[in-house]
Amino acid sequence: MKRNSRLSLALHTLAHMAGNPKQMRTSSDIAAHMGTNAVVVRRVLGRLREAGLLKSEKGHSGGWQLARAPEKITLADVYTGLEEQLIARNDLQEQPVCSVEHTLYFRIFGIMQDMEQTLIDKLASTTIAEISEAAGQVHPNE
C-alpha cells in the first residue's frame, strides 16, 4: 500500500492503536512513526473523529484514541470515513451530444460504481483488531 496515502496512514495508525486502545497518542508521535507532518496526521485523524472512529482530547495529556473497540471498526469504516474513492470519478458537467459518448459514460460509470461497492464490501470483512493481531504475530516487538 502506498505509504503516503491518507488511507495508509489511517489504517496503520488505527492498527497500532488497537494494540493498546486506551492509550492516548499524540499527533507528533504518530507523525514521527509515519514519517510525515503532525498537521497531516491531524487532518486525516480529524476525518476519522468526524466518522466516530476516533476521539481526541486537547491539552498536555491529550491526544487521539479509538472511539470504539477495534473489533467494531472495519477497514470499510475507515475507507468511507475518509471519503476515499478507489476509482476517480469524472462527473459529467454537461450531457454528451454524441449518443455513443453518452452510452459509454453511463455504462462505464455503472461499472465503476459496482467496483467501488465491491471494494467496500471486501473491506467490511476485516477489522482493525484482525490487522493488529496478525501484525503482532509477524512483528511482536513493534
Side-chain angles (χ1 to χ4, degrees):
M1 184 180 299
K2 191 169 82 175
R3 295 273 313 193
N4 64 349
S5 75
R6 295 181 319 155
L7 181 60
S8 177
L9 186 146
L11 292 173
H12 191 143
T13 300
L14 293 181
H16 277 287
M17 288 178 162
N20 188 355
K22 300 292 182 193
Q23 179 183 349
M24 290 296 244
R25 317 253 178 164
T26 67
S27 301
S28 297
D29 289 341
I30 295 167
H33 180 82
M34 295 297 296
T36 190
N37 187 294
V39 173
V40 172
V41 169
R42 284 190 289 275
R43 283 187 190 139
V44 171
L45 299 187
R47 285 184 173 264
L48 298 180
R49 181 185 52 222
E50 291 169 12
L53 304 178
L54 290 177
K55 54 187 174 181
S56 64
E57 292 182 23
K58 294 180 181 181
H60 184 270
S61 62
W64 300 91
Q65 72 182 155
L66 297 178
R68 52 189 190 198
E71 298 81 15
K72 301 288 185 188
I73 301 173
T74 69
L75 303 187
D77 294 330
V78 179
Y79 182 80
T80 58
L82 292 173
E83 299 177 4
E84 289 283 324
Q85 291 182 327
L86 177 67
I87 310 291
R89 294 206 176 115
N90 185 10
D91 292 331
L92 204 55
Q93 299 299 321
E94 300 175 14
Q95 290 292 330
V97 176
C98 173
S99 63
V100 171
E101 182 182 1
H102 182 271
T103 302
L104 278 171
Y105 174 79
F106 285 102
R107 291 282 173 103
I108 290 171
F109 182 73
I111 292 167
M112 289 173 25
Q113 282 183 310
D114 290 346
M115 290 171 56
E116 187 75 22
Q117 189 57 53
T118 299
L119 172 65
I120 292 169
D121 294 344
K122 295 274 188 190
L123 291 172
S125 69
T126 303
T127 68
I128 291 296
E130 292 169 331
I131 298 298
S132 180
E133 289 166 10
Q137 294 170 6
V138 176
H139 301 287
N141 296 326
E142 199 171 314

